[in-house]
Amino acid sequence: MVKSNRRKFIVTAAGLAATTVVNGTPNMDTEKGNIAHQVYFWLKNPGSEEDRELLIKGIKTLRQIDSVQKLTIGIVAATEKRSVIDDSWGVSELALFKDLAGQAAYQIHPIHLDFVKNYSHLWSKVVIYDSLEV
Amino acid sequence: MVKSNRRKFIVTAAGLAATTVVNGTPNMDTEKGNIAHQVYFWLKNPGSEEDRELLIKGIKTLRQIDSVQKLTIGIVAATEKRSVIDDSWGVSELALFKDLAGQAAYQIHPIHLDFVKNYSHLWSKVVIYDSLEV
């Protein structure tokens, strides 16, 4: 019952969020049609905490891009090791966009281009998954 | 300025959320220390929309697990094709947990075990990334 009430609250809050405008800017949360842009970075120097922190600092600059609704950054979590888990990467970025246009605008935004120019020497590999929320 | 105001609002809202208790259940949003459990499923029959919808239906059952704070489901987004993008998968699941204990509880929860038992015939491969939010 508590769980059910909590769900009801969350649904109600999501409904409010979808229609609330604060200071002229719509306050959106993730919802159907949003784009989740998930990036995994493998560091050139996996053992360097300094490089990892520098890359995290760089990814944080991407939050300034207008079309980014939310951007979270992660490192490998200490969950139980299993064969299906890939824990060989170094830093993860999850950026949420309202739609495909928002994601496309991010790709060519000067702040994103600067990020690639200034921080790409830190990574050896990048894998990206773009999801359309259903 | 609008952007700055929106950020300020979001930060304030997050602060409220972290301390608000609704119907006895804390209402949490993503924050440092959370675990993002990202799963990509490759379908055995990639061309079957029926199989894809069935798997999505199965993943939705995981939202009933108490320790799941939020669970979003995606399909491949029609973003621009690039060599760094993996678009070979079929369905994505992003489950957020408060901490490692929440993720561990999810793994052994009867609803999760039932999901694997009832839906694993639909997928040929699974890749999981567990991120600790920083």
Side-chain angles (χ1 to χ4, degrees), chain B residues 41-56 75-76 87-91 121-125:
Chain B
F41 297 92
W42 277 256
L43 290 164
K44 244 178 219 163
N45 304 310
S48 167
E49 197 160 328
E50 195 182 335
D51 280 13
R52 190 176 78 174
E53 290 308 308
L54 191 57
L55 178 55
I56 289 171
I75 58 174
V76 174
D87 61 358
S88 63
W89 50 281
V91 178
H121 67 279
L122 295 172
W123 66 77
S124 58
K125 184 176 119 178

PDB file of all heavy atoms in Angstrom, chain B residues 41-56 75-76 87-91 121-125:
ATOM      1  N   PHE B  41      19.819  -5.463 -24.046  1.00  0.00           N
ATOM      2  CA  PHE B  41      19.379  -6.788 -24.474  1.00  0.00           C
ATOM      3  C   PHE B  41      19.454  -6.888 -25.997  1.00  0.00           C
ATOM      4  O   PHE B  41      18.959  -5.985 -26.700  1.00  0.00           O
ATOM      5  CB  PHE B  41      17.910  -7.024 -24.076  1.00  0.00           C
ATOM      6  CG  PHE B  41      17.643  -7.022 -22.599  1.00  0.00           C
ATOM      7  CD1 PHE B  41      17.278  -5.846 -21.953  1.00  0.00           C
ATOM      8  CD2 PHE B  41      17.723  -8.195 -21.861  1.00  0.00           C
ATOM      9  CE1 PHE B  41      17.005  -5.838 -20.586  1.00  0.00           C
ATOM     10  CE2 PHE B  41      17.450  -8.189 -20.488  1.00  0.00           C
ATOM     11  CZ  PHE B  41      17.093  -7.013 -19.852  1.00  0.00           C
ATOM     12  N   TRP B  42      20.016  -7.973 -26.484  1.00  0.00           N
ATOM     13  CA  TRP B  42      19.977  -8.283 -27.909  1.00  0.00           C
ATOM     14  C   TRP B  42      18.913  -9.370 -28.080  1.00  0.00           C
ATOM     15  O   TRP B  42      18.963 -10.416 -27.396  1.00  0.00           O
ATOM     16  CB  TRP B  42      21.337  -8.817 -28.385  1.00  0.00           C
ATOM     17  CG  TRP B  42      22.328  -7.739 -28.696  1.00  0.00           C
ATOM     18  CD1 TRP B  42      22.707  -7.301 -29.928  1.00  0.00           C
ATOM     19  CD2 TRP B  42      23.096  -6.952 -27.754  1.00  0.00           C
ATOM     20  NE1 TRP B  42      23.637  -6.287 -29.820  1.00  0.00           N
ATOM     21  CE2 TRP B  42      23.897  -6.056 -28.501  1.00  0.00           C
ATOM     22  CE3 TRP B  42      23.178  -6.905 -26.348  1.00  0.00           C
ATOM     23  CZ2 TRP B  42      24.752  -5.135 -27.898  1.00  0.00           C
ATOM     24  CZ3 TRP B  42      24.034  -5.995 -25.746  1.00  0.00           C
ATOM     25  CH2 TRP B  42      24.799  -5.118 -26.515  1.00  0.00           C
ATOM     26  N   LEU B  43      17.948  -9.133 -28.930  1.00  0.00           N
ATOM     27  CA  LEU B  43      16.847 -10.088 -29.113  1.00  0.00           C
ATOM     28  C   LEU B  43      17.276 -11.272 -29.977  1.00  0.00           C
ATOM     29  O   LEU B  43      18.037 -11.115 -30.935  1.00  0.00           O
ATOM     30  CB  LEU B  43      15.659  -9.383 -29.773  1.00  0.00           C
ATOM     31  CG  LEU B  43      14.932  -8.356 -28.900  1.00  0.00           C
ATOM     32  CD1 LEU B  43      14.050  -7.458 -29.752  1.00  0.00           C
ATOM     33  CD2 LEU B  43      14.088  -9.068 -27.838  1.00  0.00           C
ATOM     34  N   LYS B  44      16.748 -12.447 -29.656  1.00  0.00           N
ATOM     35  CA  LYS B  44      17.001 -13.636 -30.478  1.00  0.00           C
ATOM     36  C   LYS B  44      16.394 -13.444 -31.867  1.00  0.00           C
ATOM     37  O   LYS B  44      16.952 -13.883 -32.861  1.00  0.00           O
ATOM     38  CB  LYS B  44      16.363 -14.862 -29.811  1.00  0.00           C
ATOM     39  CG  LYS B  44      17.384 -15.904 -29.385  1.00  0.00           C
ATOM     40  CD  LYS B  44      16.716 -17.069 -28.684  1.00  0.00           C
ATOM     41  CE  LYS B  44      17.577 -17.523 -27.528  1.00  0.00           C
ATOM     42  NZ  LYS B  44      16.846 -18.364 -26.583  1.00  0.00           N
ATOM     43  N   ASN B  45      15.232 -12.789 -31.902  1.00  0.00           N
ATOM     44  CA  ASN B  45      14.582 -12.468 -33.180  1.00  0.00           C
ATOM     45  C   ASN B  45      14.516 -10.947 -33.319  1.00  0.00           C
ATOM     46  O   ASN B  45      13.503 -10.335 -32.976  1.00  0.00           O
ATOM     47  CB  ASN B  45      13.157 -13.035 -33.217  1.00  0.00           C
ATOM     48  CG  ASN B  45      13.128 -14.529 -32.965  1.00  0.00           C
ATOM     49  OD1 ASN B  45      13.871 -15.285 -33.586  1.00  0.00           O
ATOM     50  ND2 ASN B  45      12.277 -14.960 -32.042  1.00  0.00           N
ATOM     51  N   PRO B  46      15.606 -10.347 -33.806  1.00  0.00           N
ATOM     52  CA  PRO B  46      15.676  -8.884 -33.824  1.00  0.00           C
ATOM     53  C   PRO B  46      14.566  -8.251 -34.654  1.00  0.00           C
ATOM     54  O   PRO B  46      14.189  -7.105 -34.421  1.00  0.00           O
ATOM     55  CB  PRO B  46      17.046  -8.592 -34.464  1.00  0.00           C
ATOM     56  CG  PRO B  46      17.805  -9.880 -34.398  1.00  0.00           C
ATOM     57  CD  PRO B  46      16.798 -10.975 -34.433  1.00  0.00           C
ATOM     58  N   GLY B  47      14.029  -8.995 -35.608  1.00  0.00           N
ATOM     59  CA  GLY B  47      13.004  -8.420 -36.470  1.00  0.00           C
ATOM     60  C   GLY B  47      11.597  -8.522 -35.902  1.00  0.00           C
ATOM     61  O   GLY B  47      10.653  -7.962 -36.470  1.00  0.00           O
ATOM     62  N   SER B  48      11.452  -9.198 -34.757  1.00  0.00           N
ATOM     63  CA  SER B  48      10.109  -9.421 -34.208  1.00  0.00           C
ATOM     64  C   SER B  48       9.681  -8.303 -33.264  1.00  0.00           C
ATOM     65  O   SER B  48      10.177  -8.198 -32.136  1.00  0.00           O
ATOM     66  CB  SER B  48      10.071 -10.764 -33.468  1.00  0.00           C
ATOM     67  OG  SER B  48       8.888 -10.851 -32.702  1.00  0.00           O
ATOM     68  N   GLU B  49       8.742  -7.497 -33.727  1.00  0.00           N
ATOM     69  CA  GLU B  49       8.228  -6.433 -32.868  1.00  0.00           C
ATOM     70  C   GLU B  49       7.455  -7.043 -31.699  1.00  0.00           C
ATOM     71  O   GLU B  49       7.422  -6.483 -30.596  1.00  0.00           O
ATOM     72  CB  GLU B  49       7.330  -5.489 -33.675  1.00  0.00           C
ATOM     73  CG  GLU B  49       7.096  -4.168 -32.966  1.00  0.00           C
ATOM     74  CD  GLU B  49       6.650  -3.057 -33.913  1.00  0.00           C
ATOM     75  OE1 GLU B  49       7.074  -3.064 -35.090  1.00  0.00           O
ATOM     76  OE2 GLU B  49       5.874  -2.207 -33.476  1.00  0.00           O
ATOM     77  N   GLU B  50       6.852  -8.189 -31.946  1.00  0.00           N
ATOM     78  CA  GLU B  50       6.100  -8.890 -30.894  1.00  0.00           C
ATOM     79  C   GLU B  50       7.030  -9.292 -29.744  1.00  0.00           C
ATOM     80  O   GLU B  50       6.704  -9.078 -28.574  1.00  0.00           O
ATOM     81  CB  GLU B  50       5.443 -10.130 -31.510  1.00  0.00           C
ATOM     82  CG  GLU B  50       4.351 -10.746 -30.656  1.00  0.00           C
ATOM     83  CD  GLU B  50       3.773 -12.000 -31.320  1.00  0.00           C
ATOM     84  OE1 GLU B  50       3.864 -12.108 -32.559  1.00  0.00           O
ATOM     85  OE2 GLU B  50       3.264 -12.858 -30.582  1.00  0.00           O
ATOM     86  N   ASP B  51       8.190  -9.848 -30.094  1.00  0.00           N
ATOM     87  CA  ASP B  51       9.157 -10.240 -29.059  1.00  0.00           C
ATOM     88  C   ASP B  51       9.657  -9.017 -28.302  1.00  0.00           C
ATOM     89  O   ASP B  51       9.828  -9.051 -27.086  1.00  0.00           O
ATOM     90  CB  ASP B  51      10.345 -10.975 -29.692  1.00  0.00           C
ATOM     91  CG  ASP B  51      10.021 -12.433 -29.991  1.00  0.00           C
ATOM     92  OD1 ASP B  51       8.825 -12.801 -29.937  1.00  0.00           O
ATOM     93  OD2 ASP B  51      10.959 -13.199 -30.304  1.00  0.00           O
ATOM     94  N   ARG B  52       9.890  -7.941 -29.038  1.00  0.00           N
ATOM     95  CA  ARG B  52      10.395  -6.729 -28.403  1.00  0.00           C
ATOM     96  C   ARG B  52       9.372  -6.189 -27.400  1.00  0.00           C
ATOM     97  O   ARG B  52       9.722  -5.847 -26.267  1.00  0.00           O
ATOM     98  CB  ARG B  52      10.703  -5.670 -29.467  1.00  0.00           C
ATOM     99  CG  ARG B  52      11.446  -4.480 -28.909  1.00  0.00           C
ATOM    100  CD  ARG B  52      11.827  -3.504 -30.005  1.00  0.00           C
ATOM    101  NE  ARG B  52      10.702  -2.693 -30.429  1.00  0.00           N
ATOM    102  CZ  ARG B  52      10.797  -1.678 -31.292  1.00  0.00           C
ATOM    103  NH1 ARG B  52      11.952  -1.363 -31.818  1.00  0.00           N
ATOM    104  NH2 ARG B  52       9.722  -0.977 -31.617  1.00  0.00           N
ATOM    105  N   GLU B  53       8.114  -6.157 -27.799  1.00  0.00           N
ATOM    106  CA  GLU B  53       7.064  -5.654 -26.908  1.00  0.00           C
ATOM    107  C   GLU B  53       6.894  -6.553 -25.688  1.00  0.00           C
ATOM    108  O   GLU B  53       6.632  -6.087 -24.576  1.00  0.00           O
ATOM    109  CB  GLU B  53       5.736  -5.516 -27.671  1.00  0.00           C
ATOM    110  CG  GLU B  53       5.744  -4.387 -28.691  1.00  0.00           C
ATOM    111  CD  GLU B  53       6.193  -3.052 -28.102  1.00  0.00           C
ATOM    112  OE1 GLU B  53       5.637  -2.636 -27.068  1.00  0.00           O
ATOM    113  OE2 GLU B  53       7.123  -2.428 -28.661  1.00  0.00           O
ATOM    114  N   LEU B  54       7.048  -7.866 -25.915  1.00  0.00           N
ATOM    115  CA  LEU B  54       6.931  -8.816 -24.801  1.00  0.00           C
ATOM    116  C   LEU B  54       8.058  -8.595 -23.793  1.00  0.00           C
ATOM    117  O   LEU B  54       7.831  -8.592 -22.574  1.00  0.00           O
ATOM    118  CB  LEU B  54       6.969 -10.251 -25.362  1.00  0.00           C
ATOM    119  CG  LEU B  54       6.602 -11.379 -24.400  1.00  0.00           C
ATOM    120  CD1 LEU B  54       5.211 -11.183 -23.807  1.00  0.00           C
ATOM    121  CD2 LEU B  54       6.693 -12.732 -25.123  1.00  0.00           C
ATOM    122  N   LEU B  55       9.262  -8.373 -24.296  1.00  0.00           N
ATOM    123  CA  LEU B  55      10.391  -8.123 -23.392  1.00  0.00           C
ATOM    124  C   LEU B  55      10.176  -6.816 -22.625  1.00  0.00           C
ATOM    125  O   LEU B  55      10.433  -6.739 -21.414  1.00  0.00           O
ATOM    126  CB  LEU B  55      11.705  -8.090 -24.178  1.00  0.00           C
ATOM    127  CG  LEU B  55      12.965  -7.798 -23.351  1.00  0.00           C
ATOM    128  CD1 LEU B  55      13.115  -8.775 -22.173  1.00  0.00           C
ATOM    129  CD2 LEU B  55      14.214  -7.849 -24.236  1.00  0.00           C
ATOM    130  N   ILE B  56       9.688  -5.796 -23.304  1.00  0.00           N
ATOM    131  CA  ILE B  56       9.408  -4.514 -22.641  1.00  0.00           C
ATOM    132  C   ILE B  56       8.373  -4.720 -21.528  1.00  0.00           C
ATOM    133  O   ILE B  56       8.516  -4.195 -20.424  1.00  0.00           O
ATOM    134  CB  ILE B  56       8.930  -3.459 -23.666  1.00  0.00           C
ATOM    135  CG1 ILE B  56      10.110  -3.034 -24.556  1.00  0.00           C
ATOM    136  CG2 ILE B  56       8.304  -2.245 -22.980  1.00  0.00           C
ATOM    137  CD1 ILE B  56       9.734  -2.156 -25.742  1.00  0.00           C
ATOM    138  N   ILE B  75      14.425   1.845 -26.672  1.00  0.00           N
ATOM    139  CA  ILE B  75      14.763   1.118 -27.894  1.00  0.00           C
ATOM    140  C   ILE B  75      15.775   1.985 -28.642  1.00  0.00           C
ATOM    141  O   ILE B  75      16.007   3.134 -28.249  1.00  0.00           O
ATOM    142  CB  ILE B  75      13.510   0.844 -28.768  1.00  0.00           C
ATOM    143  CG1 ILE B  75      12.811   2.160 -29.136  1.00  0.00           C
ATOM    144  CG2 ILE B  75      12.539  -0.077 -28.011  1.00  0.00           C
ATOM    145  CD1 ILE B  75      11.648   1.994 -30.106  1.00  0.00           C
ATOM    146  N   VAL B  76      16.390   1.454 -29.675  1.00  0.00           N
ATOM    147  CA  VAL B  76      17.439   2.199 -30.366  1.00  0.00           C
ATOM    148  C   VAL B  76      16.882   3.507 -30.935  1.00  0.00           C
ATOM    149  O   VAL B  76      15.868   3.500 -31.638  1.00  0.00           O
ATOM    150  CB  VAL B  76      18.062   1.355 -31.494  1.00  0.00           C
ATOM    151  CG1 VAL B  76      19.058   2.175 -32.306  1.00  0.00           C
ATOM    152  CG2 VAL B  76      18.746   0.116 -30.918  1.00  0.00           C
ATOM    153  N   ASP B  87      24.430   0.309 -32.069  1.00  0.00           N
ATOM    154  CA  ASP B  87      22.970   0.290 -32.250  1.00  0.00           C
ATOM    155  C   ASP B  87      22.498  -1.119 -32.644  1.00  0.00           C
ATOM    156  O   ASP B  87      21.465  -1.282 -33.281  1.00  0.00           O
ATOM    157  CB  ASP B  87      22.526   1.325 -33.287  1.00  0.00           C
ATOM    158  CG  ASP B  87      23.136   1.076 -34.663  1.00  0.00           C
ATOM    159  OD1 ASP B  87      23.922   0.123 -34.804  1.00  0.00           O
ATOM    160  OD2 ASP B  87      22.828   1.837 -35.594  1.00  0.00           O
ATOM    161  N   SER B  88      23.290  -2.114 -32.214  1.00  0.00           N
ATOM    162  CA  SER B  88      22.982  -3.496 -32.594  1.00  0.00           C
ATOM    163  C   SER B  88      22.051  -4.190 -31.602  1.00  0.00           C
ATOM    164  O   SER B  88      21.588  -5.291 -31.858  1.00  0.00           O
ATOM    165  CB  SER B  88      24.288  -4.293 -32.716  1.00  0.00           C
ATOM    166  OG  SER B  88      24.952  -4.352 -31.462  1.00  0.00           O
ATOM    167  N   TRP B  89      21.781  -3.559 -30.478  1.00  0.00           N
ATOM    168  CA  TRP B  89      20.947  -4.132 -29.426  1.00  0.00           C
ATOM    169  C   TRP B  89      19.463  -3.885 -29.732  1.00  0.00           C
ATOM    170  O   TRP B  89      19.124  -3.231 -30.722  1.00  0.00           O
ATOM    171  CB  TRP B  89      21.332  -3.511 -28.069  1.00  0.00           C
ATOM    172  CG  TRP B  89      21.387  -2.013 -28.091  1.00  0.00           C
ATOM    173  CD1 TRP B  89      22.406  -1.230 -28.572  1.00  0.00           C
ATOM    174  CD2 TRP B  89      20.351  -1.106 -27.685  1.00  0.00           C
ATOM    175  NE1 TRP B  89      22.068   0.098 -28.478  1.00  0.00           N
ATOM    176  CE2 TRP B  89      20.810   0.204 -27.935  1.00  0.00           C
ATOM    177  CE3 TRP B  89      19.099  -1.277 -27.124  1.00  0.00           C
ATOM    178  CZ2 TRP B  89      20.053   1.333 -27.641  1.00  0.00           C
ATOM    179  CZ3 TRP B  89      18.337  -0.153 -26.832  1.00  0.00           C
ATOM    180  CH2 TRP B  89      18.818   1.131 -27.096  1.00  0.00           C
ATOM    181  N   GLY B  90      18.581  -4.413 -28.861  1.00  0.00           N
ATOM    182  CA  GLY B  90      17.151  -4.279 -29.126  1.00  0.00           C
ATOM    183  C   GLY B  90      16.371  -3.484 -28.097  1.00  0.00           C
ATOM    184  O   GLY B  90      15.553  -2.641 -28.443  1.00  0.00           O
ATOM    185  N   VAL B  91      16.666  -3.737 -26.826  1.00  0.00           N
ATOM    186  CA  VAL B  91      15.933  -3.077 -25.737  1.00  0.00           C
ATOM    187  C   VAL B  91      16.933  -2.702 -24.641  1.00  0.00           C
ATOM    188  O   VAL B  91      17.840  -3.479 -24.339  1.00  0.00           O
ATOM    189  CB  VAL B  91      14.832  -3.996 -25.143  1.00  0.00           C
ATOM    190  CG1 VAL B  91      14.118  -3.318 -23.978  1.00  0.00           C
ATOM    191  CG2 VAL B  91      13.820  -4.400 -26.213  1.00  0.00           C
ATOM    192  N   HIS B 121      14.162 -16.367 -22.669  1.00  0.00           N
ATOM    193  CA  HIS B 121      14.151 -17.053 -23.969  1.00  0.00           C
ATOM    194  C   HIS B 121      14.107 -16.034 -25.124  1.00  0.00           C
ATOM    195  O   HIS B 121      14.354 -16.383 -26.275  1.00  0.00           O
ATOM    196  CB  HIS B 121      12.940 -17.996 -24.067  1.00  0.00           C
ATOM    197  CG  HIS B 121      11.615 -17.290 -24.096  1.00  0.00           C
ATOM    198  ND1 HIS B 121      10.992 -16.831 -22.953  1.00  0.00           N
ATOM    199  CD2 HIS B 121      10.804 -16.928 -25.123  1.00  0.00           C
ATOM    200  CE1 HIS B 121       9.850 -16.232 -23.280  1.00  0.00           C
ATOM    201  NE2 HIS B 121       9.710 -16.286 -24.588  1.00  0.00           N
ATOM    202  N   LEU B 122      13.806 -14.778 -24.785  1.00  0.00           N
ATOM    203  CA  LEU B 122      13.677 -13.757 -25.836  1.00  0.00           C
ATOM    204  C   LEU B 122      15.019 -13.157 -26.255  1.00  0.00           C
ATOM    205  O   LEU B 122      15.132 -12.586 -27.329  1.00  0.00           O
ATOM    206  CB  LEU B 122      12.759 -12.624 -25.360  1.00  0.00           C
ATOM    207  CG  LEU B 122      11.294 -12.993 -25.114  1.00  0.00           C
ATOM    208  CD1 LEU B 122      10.564 -11.834 -24.454  1.00  0.00           C
ATOM    209  CD2 LEU B 122      10.609 -13.365 -26.436  1.00  0.00           C
ATOM    210  N   TRP B 123      16.030 -13.234 -25.367  1.00  0.00           N
ATOM    211  CA  TRP B 123      17.292 -12.570 -25.710  1.00  0.00           C
ATOM    212  C   TRP B 123      18.440 -13.551 -25.968  1.00  0.00           C
ATOM    213  O   TRP B 123      18.476 -14.634 -25.427  1.00  0.00           O
ATOM    214  CB  TRP B 123      17.679 -11.511 -24.687  1.00  0.00           C
ATOM    215  CG  TRP B 123      18.015 -11.972 -23.285  1.00  0.00           C
ATOM    216  CD1 TRP B 123      19.182 -12.561 -22.882  1.00  0.00           C
ATOM    217  CD2 TRP B 123      17.212 -11.827 -22.092  1.00  0.00           C
ATOM    218  NE1 TRP B 123      19.151 -12.787 -21.522  1.00  0.00           N
ATOM    219  CE2 TRP B 123      17.968 -12.348 -21.013  1.00  0.00           C
ATOM    220  CE3 TRP B 123      15.951 -11.291 -21.839  1.00  0.00           C
ATOM    221  CZ2 TRP B 123      17.479 -12.371 -19.704  1.00  0.00           C
ATOM    222  CZ3 TRP B 123      15.469 -11.331 -20.529  1.00  0.00           C
ATOM    223  CH2 TRP B 123      16.223 -11.853 -19.492  1.00  0.00           C
ATOM    224  N   SER B 124      19.367 -13.084 -26.824  1.00  0.00           N
ATOM    225  CA  SER B 124      20.540 -13.906 -27.161  1.00  0.00           C
ATOM    226  C   SER B 124      21.779 -13.419 -26.418  1.00  0.00           C
ATOM    227  O   SER B 124      22.734 -14.158 -26.240  1.00  0.00           O
ATOM    228  CB  SER B 124      20.806 -13.848 -28.664  1.00  0.00           C
ATOM    229  OG  SER B 124      20.998 -12.508 -29.074  1.00  0.00           O
ATOM    230  N   LYS B 125      21.726 -12.165 -25.991  1.00  0.00           N
ATOM    231  CA  LYS B 125      22.897 -11.578 -25.324  1.00  0.00           C
ATOM    232  C   LYS B 125      22.450 -10.434 -24.438  1.00  0.00           C
ATOM    233  O   LYS B 125      21.475  -9.742 -24.762  1.00  0.00           O
ATOM    234  CB  LYS B 125      23.882 -11.052 -26.379  1.00  0.00           C
ATOM    235  CG  LYS B 125      25.193 -10.509 -25.831  1.00  0.00           C
ATOM    236  CD  LYS B 125      26.132 -10.100 -26.971  1.00  0.00           C
ATOM    237  CE  LYS B 125      26.469  -8.642 -26.942  1.00  0.00           C
ATOM    238  NZ  LYS B 125      27.394  -8.192 -27.976  1.00  0.00           N
TER     239      LYS B 125
END
